[in-house]
Amino acid sequence: TEPQLKSRTRRRDTSGADQARHAAACDRIRNSLRDVAERMRAGYDVKQGERLRERKAKLEQQRRAQKCR
């Protein structure tokens, strides 16, 4: 039974690391979306607006794919 305990412990450690990675990825996406929103509020020309909207859509898609809250 001892090897089973070790594998369970490893799995928990990996799960914790996975959760931390997921949380960090969600934070990065959230911060990037906040930055895009700030830039959009500050005003922009047509070309820059197109880039900002594309970036926002891409980040929102990543947020959905990562299942961030």
Side-chain angles (χ1 to χ4, degrees):
T1 57
E2 195 170 315
Q4 289 176 342
L5 290 175
K6 286 181 182 178
S7 68
R8 284 185 199 153
T9 302
R10 276 190 216 122
R11 218 174 297 141
R12 273 192 221 118
D13 291 344
T14 303
S15 177
D18 288 345
Q19 288 177 353
R21 256 192 308 280
H22 180 262
C26 288
D27 286 344
R28 280 192 301 274
I29 293 168
R30 189 176 306 112
N31 290 336
S32 294
L33 280 166
R34 191 176 299 131
D35 291 344
V36 168
E38 284 179 23
R39 288 184 194 144
M40 291 178 91
R41 281 193 300 272
Y44 46 85
D45 61 24
V46 175
K47 191 172 181 178
Q48 187 178 17
E50 289 174 4
R51 283 193 302 260
L52 288 170
R53 282 187 292 279
E54 286 174 12
R55 176 79 175 133
K56 182 180 176 190
K58 183 178 176 182
L59 288 166
E60 288 173 341
Q61 182 181 15
Q62 288 175 359
R63 185 174 59 183
R64 283 189 300 274
Q66 291 287 328
K67 298 181 181 175
C68 299
R69 296 180 193 187

Short mmCIF file of all heavy atoms in Angstrom, two decimals:
data_model
loop_
_atom_site.label_atom_id
_atom_site.label_comp_id
_atom_site.label_asym_id
_atom_site.label_seq_id
_atom_site.Cartn_x
_atom_site.Cartn_y
_atom_site.Cartn_z
N THR A 1 0.81 -1.21 0.00
CA THR A 1 0.00 0.00 0.00
C THR A 1 0.86 1.27 0.00
O THR A 1 0.38 2.31 -0.38
CB THR A 1 -0.94 0.04 1.21
OG1 THR A 1 -0.17 -0.05 2.39
CG2 THR A 1 -1.96 -1.07 1.17
N GLU A 2 2.07 1.17 0.40
CA GLU A 2 2.92 2.36 0.46
C GLU A 2 3.13 3.01 -0.91
O GLU A 2 3.01 4.22 -1.04
CB GLU A 2 4.26 2.03 1.10
CG GLU A 2 5.02 3.26 1.51
CD GLU A 2 6.21 2.92 2.35
OE1 GLU A 2 6.08 2.10 3.26
OE2 GLU A 2 7.26 3.48 2.06
N PRO A 3 3.41 2.23 -1.98
CA PRO A 3 3.56 2.87 -3.29
C PRO A 3 2.30 3.63 -3.71
O PRO A 3 2.37 4.65 -4.36
CB PRO A 3 3.86 1.72 -4.24
CG PRO A 3 4.45 0.66 -3.37
CD PRO A 3 3.77 0.81 -2.04
N GLN A 4 1.13 3.11 -3.35
CA GLN A 4 -0.11 3.81 -3.71
C GLN A 4 -0.18 5.16 -3.02
O GLN A 4 -0.61 6.14 -3.59
CB GLN A 4 -1.33 2.97 -3.32
CG GLN A 4 -1.51 1.75 -4.19
CD GLN A 4 -2.67 0.91 -3.72
OE1 GLN A 4 -3.14 1.03 -2.59
NE2 GLN A 4 -3.14 0.03 -4.60
N LEU A 5 0.24 5.22 -1.77
CA LEU A 5 0.22 6.48 -1.05
C LEU A 5 1.13 7.50 -1.72
O LEU A 5 0.78 8.66 -1.85
CB LEU A 5 0.65 6.29 0.41
CG LEU A 5 -0.33 5.53 1.31
CD1 LEU A 5 0.28 5.31 2.69
CD2 LEU A 5 -1.63 6.29 1.43
N LYS A 6 2.29 7.04 -2.16
CA LYS A 6 3.22 7.95 -2.82
C LYS A 6 2.62 8.49 -4.11
O LYS A 6 2.72 9.67 -4.40
CB LYS A 6 4.55 7.27 -3.11
CG LYS A 6 5.40 7.07 -1.89
CD LYS A 6 6.71 6.42 -2.23
CE LYS A 6 7.54 6.18 -0.99
NZ LYS A 6 8.79 5.51 -1.30
N SER A 7 1.98 7.62 -4.88
CA SER A 7 1.41 8.08 -6.14
C SER A 7 0.27 9.06 -5.89
O SER A 7 0.09 10.01 -6.61
CB SER A 7 0.95 6.91 -7.01
OG SER A 7 -0.16 6.27 -6.42
N ARG A 8 -0.51 8.83 -4.84
CA ARG A 8 -1.58 9.77 -4.51
C ARG A 8 -1.00 11.12 -4.11
O ARG A 8 -1.50 12.16 -4.49
CB ARG A 8 -2.43 9.25 -3.35
CG ARG A 8 -3.37 8.17 -3.75
CD ARG A 8 -4.26 7.80 -2.60
NE ARG A 8 -4.83 6.49 -2.82
CZ ARG A 8 -5.21 5.68 -1.88
NH1 ARG A 8 -5.08 6.00 -0.61
NH2 ARG A 8 -5.74 4.51 -2.17
N THR A 9 0.06 11.08 -3.33
CA THR A 9 0.70 12.32 -2.90
C THR A 9 1.24 13.08 -4.10
O THR A 9 1.04 14.28 -4.22
CB THR A 9 1.85 12.02 -1.91
OG1 THR A 9 1.31 11.30 -0.80
CG2 THR A 9 2.48 13.30 -1.42
N ARG A 10 1.89 12.38 -5.00
CA ARG A 10 2.40 13.03 -6.21
C ARG A 10 1.27 13.65 -7.00
O ARG A 10 1.39 14.74 -7.52
CB ARG A 10 3.16 12.03 -7.08
CG ARG A 10 4.57 11.83 -6.67
CD ARG A 10 5.32 11.03 -7.71
NE ARG A 10 6.26 10.18 -7.02
CZ ARG A 10 6.31 8.86 -7.10
NH1 ARG A 10 5.50 8.22 -7.90
NH2 ARG A 10 7.17 8.16 -6.41
N ARG A 11 0.17 12.91 -7.11
CA ARG A 11 -0.96 13.41 -7.87
C ARG A 11 -1.49 14.70 -7.24
O ARG A 11 -1.81 15.64 -7.92
CB ARG A 11 -2.07 12.35 -7.92
CG ARG A 11 -2.74 12.31 -9.25
CD ARG A 11 -3.74 11.20 -9.39
NE ARG A 11 -3.09 9.89 -9.29
CZ ARG A 11 -3.62 8.84 -8.67
NH1 ARG A 11 -4.80 8.91 -8.11
NH2 ARG A 11 -2.99 7.70 -8.59
N ARG A 12 -1.58 14.73 -5.92
CA ARG A 12 -2.04 15.94 -5.25
C ARG A 12 -1.07 17.09 -5.50
O ARG A 12 -1.49 18.20 -5.75
CB ARG A 12 -2.15 15.71 -3.73
CG ARG A 12 -3.48 15.16 -3.35
CD ARG A 12 -3.66 15.21 -1.84
NE ARG A 12 -4.28 13.97 -1.43
CZ ARG A 12 -3.77 13.07 -0.62
NH1 ARG A 12 -2.61 13.27 -0.06
NH2 ARG A 12 -4.41 11.98 -0.33
N ASP A 13 0.23 16.82 -5.43
CA ASP A 13 1.23 17.85 -5.68
C ASP A 13 1.09 18.38 -7.10
O ASP A 13 1.13 19.58 -7.32
CB ASP A 13 2.66 17.32 -5.47
CG ASP A 13 2.94 17.03 -4.00
OD1 ASP A 13 2.17 17.51 -3.14
OD2 ASP A 13 3.92 16.32 -3.72
N THR A 14 0.93 17.48 -8.03
CA THR A 14 0.76 17.89 -9.43
C THR A 14 -0.52 18.69 -9.58
O THR A 14 -0.54 19.70 -10.26
CB THR A 14 0.72 16.65 -10.35
OG1 THR A 14 1.93 15.91 -10.15
CG2 THR A 14 0.60 17.04 -11.80
N SER A 15 -1.57 18.25 -8.93
CA SER A 15 -2.84 18.96 -9.01
C SER A 15 -2.69 20.37 -8.45
O SER A 15 -3.20 21.32 -9.03
CB SER A 15 -3.92 18.19 -8.24
OG SER A 15 -5.12 18.91 -8.27
N GLY A 16 -1.99 20.50 -7.35
CA GLY A 16 -1.74 21.83 -6.78
C GLY A 16 -0.94 22.70 -7.71
O GLY A 16 -1.24 23.89 -7.89
N ALA A 17 0.07 22.12 -8.33
CA ALA A 17 0.89 22.86 -9.29
C ALA A 17 0.06 23.24 -10.51
O ALA A 17 0.18 24.35 -11.03
CB ALA A 17 2.11 22.03 -9.72
N ASP A 18 -0.80 22.32 -10.95
CA ASP A 18 -1.68 22.61 -12.09
C ASP A 18 -2.64 23.75 -11.76
O ASP A 18 -2.86 24.64 -12.58
CB ASP A 18 -2.48 21.37 -12.50
CG ASP A 18 -1.64 20.32 -13.19
OD1 ASP A 18 -0.51 20.64 -13.61
OD2 ASP A 18 -2.11 19.17 -13.29
N GLN A 19 -3.18 23.72 -10.55
CA GLN A 19 -4.10 24.78 -10.13
C GLN A 19 -3.38 26.12 -10.07
O GLN A 19 -3.93 27.15 -10.48
CB GLN A 19 -4.71 24.46 -8.77
CG GLN A 19 -5.74 23.34 -8.83
CD GLN A 19 -6.28 22.99 -7.46
OE1 GLN A 19 -5.81 23.47 -6.44
NE2 GLN A 19 -7.27 22.11 -7.44
N ALA A 20 -2.14 26.11 -9.57
CA ALA A 20 -1.36 27.35 -9.50
C ALA A 20 -1.07 27.89 -10.90
O ALA A 20 -1.17 29.09 -11.15
CB ALA A 20 -0.07 27.11 -8.72
N ARG A 21 -0.72 26.98 -11.82
CA ARG A 21 -0.45 27.38 -13.21
C ARG A 21 -1.72 27.95 -13.85
O ARG A 21 -1.68 28.95 -14.55
CB ARG A 21 0.05 26.19 -14.03
CG ARG A 21 1.54 26.22 -14.28
CD ARG A 21 1.97 25.21 -15.32
NE ARG A 21 1.51 23.85 -15.08
CZ ARG A 21 2.08 22.99 -14.24
NH1 ARG A 21 3.15 23.33 -13.57
NH2 ARG A 21 1.61 21.78 -14.09
N HIS A 22 -2.84 27.28 -13.59
CA HIS A 22 -4.12 27.73 -14.15
C HIS A 22 -4.47 29.11 -13.60
O HIS A 22 -4.87 30.00 -14.36
CB HIS A 22 -5.22 26.71 -13.81
CG HIS A 22 -6.55 27.09 -14.33
ND1 HIS A 22 -7.51 27.71 -13.54
CD2 HIS A 22 -7.12 26.96 -15.55
CE1 HIS A 22 -8.58 27.94 -14.26
NE2 HIS A 22 -8.38 27.50 -15.48
N ALA A 23 -4.32 29.29 -12.30
CA ALA A 23 -4.62 30.58 -11.69
C ALA A 23 -3.72 31.68 -12.25
O ALA A 23 -4.18 32.79 -12.53
CB ALA A 23 -4.48 30.50 -10.17
N ALA A 24 -2.45 31.37 -12.45
CA ALA A 24 -1.51 32.35 -12.99
C ALA A 24 -1.88 32.71 -14.43
O ALA A 24 -1.84 33.88 -14.82
CB ALA A 24 -0.08 31.82 -12.93
N ALA A 25 -2.26 31.71 -15.22
CA ALA A 25 -2.67 31.96 -16.61
C ALA A 25 -3.92 32.83 -16.64
O ALA A 25 -4.01 33.78 -17.43
CB ALA A 25 -2.91 30.64 -17.34
N CYS A 26 -4.87 32.54 -15.76
CA CYS A 26 -6.10 33.34 -15.70
C CYS A 26 -5.79 34.77 -15.27
O CYS A 26 -6.37 35.72 -15.80
CB CYS A 26 -7.10 32.70 -14.75
SG CYS A 26 -7.83 31.17 -15.41
N ASP A 27 -4.87 34.93 -14.33
CA ASP A 27 -4.47 36.28 -13.90
C ASP A 27 -3.85 37.06 -15.05
O ASP A 27 -4.14 38.24 -15.24
CB ASP A 27 -3.48 36.21 -12.73
CG ASP A 27 -4.15 35.84 -11.42
OD1 ASP A 27 -5.40 35.93 -11.33
OD2 ASP A 27 -3.43 35.45 -10.49
N ARG A 28 -2.98 36.39 -15.82
CA ARG A 28 -2.35 37.06 -16.97
C ARG A 28 -3.40 37.51 -17.98
O ARG A 28 -3.36 38.63 -18.49
CB ARG A 28 -1.32 36.15 -17.63
CG ARG A 28 0.01 36.10 -16.92
CD ARG A 28 1.07 35.41 -17.76
NE ARG A 28 0.72 34.05 -18.12
CZ ARG A 28 0.97 32.98 -17.35
NH1 ARG A 28 1.55 33.11 -16.19
NH2 ARG A 28 0.63 31.77 -17.75
N ILE A 29 -4.34 36.62 -18.27
CA ILE A 29 -5.41 36.95 -19.22
C ILE A 29 -6.25 38.11 -18.69
O ILE A 29 -6.54 39.06 -19.42
CB ILE A 29 -6.29 35.71 -19.51
CG1 ILE A 29 -5.48 34.65 -20.28
CG2 ILE A 29 -7.54 36.11 -20.29
CD1 ILE A 29 -6.16 33.29 -20.36
N ARG A 30 -6.62 38.04 -17.42
CA ARG A 30 -7.43 39.09 -16.80
C ARG A 30 -6.71 40.44 -16.86
O ARG A 30 -7.30 41.46 -17.21
CB ARG A 30 -7.73 38.72 -15.35
CG ARG A 30 -8.73 39.61 -14.66
CD ARG A 30 -9.07 39.13 -13.24
NE ARG A 30 -9.51 37.74 -13.21
CZ ARG A 30 -8.80 36.74 -12.66
NH1 ARG A 30 -7.64 36.96 -12.10
NH2 ARG A 30 -9.27 35.51 -12.67
N ASN A 31 -5.41 40.44 -16.53
CA ASN A 31 -4.63 41.68 -16.56
C ASN A 31 -4.51 42.22 -17.99
O ASN A 31 -4.58 43.44 -18.20
CB ASN A 31 -3.25 41.47 -15.95
CG ASN A 31 -3.32 41.26 -14.45
OD1 ASN A 31 -4.26 41.67 -13.80
ND2 ASN A 31 -2.31 40.60 -13.92
N SER A 32 -4.32 41.33 -18.95
CA SER A 32 -4.23 41.77 -20.34
C SER A 32 -5.55 42.37 -20.81
O SER A 32 -5.56 43.39 -21.51
CB SER A 32 -3.84 40.59 -21.24
OG SER A 32 -2.54 40.16 -20.95
N LEU A 33 -6.67 41.76 -20.43
CA LEU A 33 -7.97 42.31 -20.79
C LEU A 33 -8.17 43.67 -20.15
O LEU A 33 -8.72 44.60 -20.78
CB LEU A 33 -9.09 41.35 -20.36
CG LEU A 33 -9.34 40.18 -21.29
CD1 LEU A 33 -10.21 39.12 -20.62
CD2 LEU A 33 -9.99 40.66 -22.58
N ARG A 34 -7.72 43.83 -18.92
CA ARG A 34 -7.82 45.12 -18.24
C ARG A 34 -7.00 46.18 -18.98
O ARG A 34 -7.46 47.31 -19.18
CB ARG A 34 -7.34 44.98 -16.80
CG ARG A 34 -7.65 46.19 -15.94
CD ARG A 34 -7.26 45.97 -14.49
NE ARG A 34 -8.00 44.84 -13.92
CZ ARG A 34 -7.42 43.85 -13.23
NH1 ARG A 34 -6.14 43.84 -13.01
NH2 ARG A 34 -8.15 42.87 -12.76
N ASP A 35 -5.79 45.79 -19.42
CA ASP A 35 -4.93 46.72 -20.17
C ASP A 35 -5.59 47.15 -21.48
O ASP A 35 -5.56 48.32 -21.85
CB ASP A 35 -3.57 46.09 -20.47
CG ASP A 35 -2.72 45.90 -19.22
OD1 ASP A 35 -3.02 46.54 -18.18
OD2 ASP A 35 -1.75 45.13 -19.30
N VAL A 36 -6.17 46.19 -22.19
CA VAL A 36 -6.84 46.50 -23.45
C VAL A 36 -8.00 47.46 -23.20
O VAL A 36 -8.17 48.45 -23.94
CB VAL A 36 -7.33 45.20 -24.15
CG1 VAL A 36 -8.27 45.53 -25.30
CG2 VAL A 36 -6.15 44.38 -24.65
N ALA A 37 -8.78 47.20 -22.15
CA ALA A 37 -9.91 48.07 -21.84
C ALA A 37 -9.44 49.49 -21.52
O ALA A 37 -10.05 50.47 -21.97
CB ALA A 37 -10.70 47.49 -20.66
N GLU A 38 -8.34 49.61 -20.78
CA GLU A 38 -7.79 50.94 -20.47
C GLU A 38 -7.38 51.67 -21.74
O GLU A 38 -7.65 52.86 -21.90
CB GLU A 38 -6.57 50.81 -19.55
CG GLU A 38 -6.92 50.51 -18.12
CD GLU A 38 -5.68 50.35 -17.25
OE1 GLU A 38 -4.60 50.89 -17.62
OE2 GLU A 38 -5.79 49.69 -16.20
N ARG A 39 -6.72 50.96 -22.64
CA ARG A 39 -6.29 51.57 -23.90
C ARG A 39 -7.49 52.01 -24.74
O ARG A 39 -7.46 53.06 -25.38
CB ARG A 39 -5.43 50.61 -24.70
CG ARG A 39 -4.06 50.40 -24.09
CD ARG A 39 -3.21 49.51 -24.96
NE ARG A 39 -2.04 49.06 -24.22
CZ ARG A 39 -1.49 47.87 -24.34
NH1 ARG A 39 -1.97 47.00 -25.21
NH2 ARG A 39 -0.44 47.54 -23.63
N MET A 40 -8.54 51.18 -24.72
CA MET A 40 -9.73 51.52 -25.49
C MET A 40 -10.42 52.76 -24.91
O MET A 40 -10.90 53.61 -25.66
CB MET A 40 -10.69 50.33 -25.55
CG MET A 40 -10.14 49.18 -26.39
SD MET A 40 -11.22 47.75 -26.42
CE MET A 40 -12.20 48.16 -27.86
N ARG A 41 -10.43 52.87 -23.59
CA ARG A 41 -11.03 54.05 -22.96
C ARG A 41 -10.23 55.32 -23.25
O ARG A 41 -10.77 56.42 -23.30
CB ARG A 41 -11.15 53.85 -21.45
CG ARG A 41 -12.31 52.99 -21.03
CD ARG A 41 -12.56 53.09 -19.55
NE ARG A 41 -11.42 52.65 -18.77
CZ ARG A 41 -11.18 51.39 -18.38
NH1 ARG A 41 -12.04 50.44 -18.71
NH2 ARG A 41 -10.13 51.08 -17.66
N ALA A 42 -8.92 55.15 -23.44
CA ALA A 42 -8.04 56.30 -23.65
C ALA A 42 -8.20 56.88 -25.06
O ALA A 42 -7.74 57.98 -25.33
CB ALA A 42 -6.59 55.89 -23.42
N GLY A 43 -8.85 56.14 -25.94
CA GLY A 43 -9.03 56.61 -27.32
C GLY A 43 -7.99 55.99 -28.24
O GLY A 43 -6.90 55.61 -27.81
N TYR A 44 -8.36 55.89 -29.51
CA TYR A 44 -7.50 55.22 -30.47
C TYR A 44 -7.95 55.58 -31.88
O TYR A 44 -9.08 56.00 -32.10
CB TYR A 44 -7.55 53.70 -30.27
CG TYR A 44 -8.96 53.16 -30.11
CD1 TYR A 44 -9.74 52.85 -31.22
CD2 TYR A 44 -9.51 52.98 -28.85
CE1 TYR A 44 -11.02 52.37 -31.07
CE2 TYR A 44 -10.80 52.49 -28.69
CZ TYR A 44 -11.54 52.19 -29.81
OH TYR A 44 -12.82 51.72 -29.66
N ASP A 45 -7.02 55.37 -32.83
CA ASP A 45 -7.39 55.57 -34.22
C ASP A 45 -7.99 54.28 -34.77
O ASP A 45 -8.05 53.27 -34.06
CB ASP A 45 -6.18 56.05 -35.05
CG ASP A 45 -5.03 55.06 -35.07
OD1 ASP A 45 -5.26 53.84 -34.87
OD2 ASP A 45 -3.89 55.49 -35.29
N VAL A 46 -8.42 54.30 -36.01
CA VAL A 46 -9.11 53.15 -36.59
C VAL A 46 -8.24 51.90 -36.58
O VAL A 46 -8.67 50.83 -36.14
CB VAL A 46 -9.58 53.47 -38.03
CG1 VAL A 46 -10.18 52.24 -38.69
CG2 VAL A 46 -10.59 54.61 -38.03
N LYS A 47 -7.01 52.03 -37.05
CA LYS A 47 -6.12 50.87 -37.14
C LYS A 47 -5.84 50.28 -35.76
O LYS A 47 -5.90 49.06 -35.56
CB LYS A 47 -4.81 51.29 -37.82
CG LYS A 47 -3.92 50.14 -38.20
CD LYS A 47 -2.74 50.64 -39.03
CE LYS A 47 -1.86 49.50 -39.45
NZ LYS A 47 -0.74 49.95 -40.28
N GLN A 48 -5.56 51.16 -34.81
CA GLN A 48 -5.28 50.70 -33.46
C GLN A 48 -6.54 50.07 -32.85
O GLN A 48 -6.46 49.06 -32.14
CB GLN A 48 -4.79 51.86 -32.59
CG GLN A 48 -4.31 51.44 -31.23
CD GLN A 48 -3.80 52.62 -30.42
OE1 GLN A 48 -4.09 53.77 -30.73
NE2 GLN A 48 -3.04 52.34 -29.39
N GLY A 49 -7.69 50.63 -33.12
CA GLY A 49 -8.94 50.08 -32.62
C GLY A 49 -9.19 48.67 -33.13
O GLY A 49 -9.65 47.80 -32.38
N GLU A 50 -8.88 48.44 -34.38
CA GLU A 50 -9.04 47.09 -34.94
C GLU A 50 -8.13 46.11 -34.22
O GLU A 50 -8.55 45.00 -33.89
CB GLU A 50 -8.73 47.11 -36.44
CG GLU A 50 -9.78 47.81 -37.26
CD GLU A 50 -9.39 47.95 -38.73
OE1 GLU A 50 -8.33 47.44 -39.13
OE2 GLU A 50 -10.15 48.61 -39.47
N ARG A 51 -6.89 46.52 -33.98
CA ARG A 51 -5.95 45.65 -33.26
C ARG A 51 -6.42 45.38 -31.83
O ARG A 51 -6.34 44.24 -31.36
CB ARG A 51 -4.55 46.26 -33.24
CG ARG A 51 -3.80 46.13 -34.55
CD ARG A 51 -2.33 46.45 -34.39
NE ARG A 51 -2.12 47.79 -33.86
CZ ARG A 51 -1.79 48.85 -34.58
NH1 ARG A 51 -1.63 48.72 -35.89
NH2 ARG A 51 -1.62 50.03 -34.02
N LEU A 52 -6.91 46.42 -31.17
CA LEU A 52 -7.38 46.24 -29.79
C LEU A 52 -8.59 45.30 -29.74
O LEU A 52 -8.67 44.43 -28.86
CB LEU A 52 -7.75 47.60 -29.18
CG LEU A 52 -6.58 48.52 -28.83
CD1 LEU A 52 -7.07 49.90 -28.47
CD2 LEU A 52 -5.74 47.93 -27.71
N ARG A 53 -9.52 45.46 -30.67
CA ARG A 53 -10.69 44.57 -30.69
C ARG A 53 -10.28 43.13 -30.99
O ARG A 53 -10.81 42.20 -30.37
CB ARG A 53 -11.72 45.07 -31.72
CG ARG A 53 -12.53 46.24 -31.19
CD ARG A 53 -13.67 46.62 -32.12
NE ARG A 53 -13.19 47.19 -33.39
CZ ARG A 53 -12.82 48.45 -33.54
NH1 ARG A 53 -12.86 49.29 -32.54
NH2 ARG A 53 -12.41 48.89 -34.71
N GLU A 54 -9.33 42.93 -31.90
CA GLU A 54 -8.84 41.58 -32.19
C GLU A 54 -8.16 40.98 -30.96
O GLU A 54 -8.37 39.81 -30.64
CB GLU A 54 -7.86 41.61 -33.36
CG GLU A 54 -8.51 41.82 -34.71
CD GLU A 54 -7.50 41.98 -35.84
OE1 GLU A 54 -6.31 41.71 -35.62
OE2 GLU A 54 -7.92 42.39 -36.93
N ARG A 55 -7.35 41.80 -30.29
CA ARG A 55 -6.65 41.33 -29.09
C ARG A 55 -7.64 40.97 -27.99
O ARG A 55 -7.52 39.94 -27.34
CB ARG A 55 -5.69 42.43 -28.60
CG ARG A 55 -4.98 42.10 -27.32
CD ARG A 55 -3.82 41.16 -27.57
NE ARG A 55 -3.09 40.95 -26.34
CZ ARG A 55 -2.71 39.76 -25.90
NH1 ARG A 55 -2.92 38.69 -26.63
NH2 ARG A 55 -2.07 39.64 -24.77
N LYS A 56 -8.66 41.80 -27.83
CA LYS A 56 -9.68 41.54 -26.82
C LYS A 56 -10.42 40.23 -27.12
O LYS A 56 -10.64 39.41 -26.22
CB LYS A 56 -10.67 42.70 -26.76
CG LYS A 56 -11.74 42.53 -25.71
CD LYS A 56 -12.69 43.71 -25.70
CE LYS A 56 -13.81 43.47 -24.71
NZ LYS A 56 -14.86 44.47 -24.83
N ALA A 57 -10.80 40.03 -28.38
CA ALA A 57 -11.50 38.80 -28.77
C ALA A 57 -10.62 37.58 -28.52
O ALA A 57 -11.11 36.55 -28.02
CB ALA A 57 -11.92 38.88 -30.23
N LYS A 58 -9.34 37.69 -28.85
CA LYS A 58 -8.41 36.57 -28.65
C LYS A 58 -8.27 36.25 -27.16
O LYS A 58 -8.29 35.08 -26.76
CB LYS A 58 -7.05 36.92 -29.25
CG LYS A 58 -6.04 35.82 -29.17
CD LYS A 58 -4.73 36.24 -29.83
CE LYS A 58 -3.67 35.17 -29.67
NZ LYS A 58 -2.40 35.57 -30.25
N LEU A 59 -8.14 37.28 -26.34
CA LEU A 59 -8.01 37.06 -24.90
C LEU A 59 -9.28 36.47 -24.31
O LEU A 59 -9.22 35.58 -23.45
CB LEU A 59 -7.68 38.39 -24.20
CG LEU A 59 -6.27 38.91 -24.43
CD1 LEU A 59 -6.17 40.37 -24.00
CD2 LEU A 59 -5.25 38.06 -23.69
N GLU A 60 -10.44 36.93 -24.77
CA GLU A 60 -11.70 36.37 -24.28
C GLU A 60 -11.84 34.90 -24.68
O GLU A 60 -12.33 34.09 -23.90
CB GLU A 60 -12.88 37.19 -24.78
CG GLU A 60 -12.98 38.54 -24.10
CD GLU A 60 -14.03 39.46 -24.69
OE1 GLU A 60 -14.44 39.24 -25.84
OE2 GLU A 60 -14.40 40.41 -23.99
N GLN A 61 -11.38 34.58 -25.88
CA GLN A 61 -11.40 33.18 -26.32
C GLN A 61 -10.47 32.34 -25.44
O GLN A 61 -10.83 31.23 -25.04
CB GLN A 61 -10.96 33.10 -27.79
CG GLN A 61 -11.00 31.70 -28.35
CD GLN A 61 -10.53 31.66 -29.80
OE1 GLN A 61 -9.93 32.61 -30.29
NE2 GLN A 61 -10.80 30.57 -30.47
N GLN A 62 -9.29 32.86 -25.12
CA GLN A 62 -8.37 32.15 -24.24
C GLN A 62 -8.98 31.96 -22.86
O GLN A 62 -8.86 30.90 -22.25
CB GLN A 62 -7.05 32.91 -24.11
CG GLN A 62 -6.19 32.87 -25.34
CD GLN A 62 -4.94 33.74 -25.20
OE1 GLN A 62 -4.72 34.38 -24.17
NE2 GLN A 62 -4.12 33.77 -26.22
N ARG A 63 -9.66 33.01 -22.37
CA ARG A 63 -10.29 32.93 -21.05
C ARG A 63 -11.35 31.83 -21.03
O ARG A 63 -11.43 31.05 -20.07
CB ARG A 63 -10.91 34.27 -20.68
CG ARG A 63 -11.49 34.30 -19.28
CD ARG A 63 -11.97 35.66 -18.87
NE ARG A 63 -12.99 36.14 -19.79
CZ ARG A 63 -13.55 37.33 -19.70
NH1 ARG A 63 -13.16 38.17 -18.79
NH2 ARG A 63 -14.48 37.68 -20.55
N ARG A 64 -12.15 31.73 -22.09
CA ARG A 64 -13.16 30.67 -22.17
C ARG A 64 -12.50 29.30 -22.26
O ARG A 64 -12.93 28.35 -21.61
CB ARG A 64 -14.08 30.89 -23.35
CG ARG A 64 -15.12 31.97 -23.13
CD ARG A 64 -16.14 32.00 -24.25
NE ARG A 64 -15.56 32.26 -25.55
CZ ARG A 64 -15.32 33.47 -26.05
NH1 ARG A 64 -15.61 34.54 -25.34
NH2 ARG A 64 -14.80 33.62 -27.25
N ALA A 65 -11.45 29.18 -23.07
CA ALA A 65 -10.76 27.91 -23.26
C ALA A 65 -10.11 27.43 -21.94
O ALA A 65 -10.12 26.23 -21.64
CB ALA A 65 -9.71 28.01 -24.35
N GLN A 66 -9.59 28.37 -21.17
CA GLN A 66 -8.96 28.04 -19.89
C GLN A 66 -9.99 27.86 -18.78
O GLN A 66 -9.66 27.45 -17.68
CB GLN A 66 -7.98 29.16 -19.47
CG GLN A 66 -6.76 29.27 -20.33
CD GLN A 66 -5.80 28.13 -20.08
OE1 GLN A 66 -5.70 27.60 -18.98
NE2 GLN A 66 -5.09 27.73 -21.11
N LYS A 67 -11.26 28.20 -19.08
CA LYS A 67 -12.35 28.14 -18.11
C LYS A 67 -12.05 28.99 -16.88
O LYS A 67 -12.24 28.58 -15.74
CB LYS A 67 -12.63 26.69 -17.72
CG LYS A 67 -13.07 25.86 -18.90
CD LYS A 67 -13.38 24.45 -18.52
CE LYS A 67 -13.79 23.69 -19.78
NZ LYS A 67 -13.98 22.28 -19.52
N CYS A 68 -11.58 30.20 -17.15
CA CYS A 68 -11.34 31.15 -16.07
C CYS A 68 -12.65 31.75 -15.61
O CYS A 68 -13.59 31.85 -16.39
CB CYS A 68 -10.40 32.28 -16.55
SG CYS A 68 -8.79 31.71 -17.08
N ARG A 69 -12.70 32.15 -14.38
CA ARG A 69 -13.91 32.77 -13.84
C ARG A 69 -13.98 34.21 -14.21
O ARG A 69 -13.08 34.88 -14.46
CB ARG A 69 -13.94 32.66 -12.33
CG ARG A 69 -14.01 31.23 -11.89
CD ARG A 69 -14.04 31.18 -10.41
NE ARG A 69 -13.80 29.80 -10.00
CZ ARG A 69 -13.89 29.39 -8.78
NH1 ARG A 69 -14.19 30.22 -7.83
NH2 ARG A 69 -13.68 28.14 -8.49
#
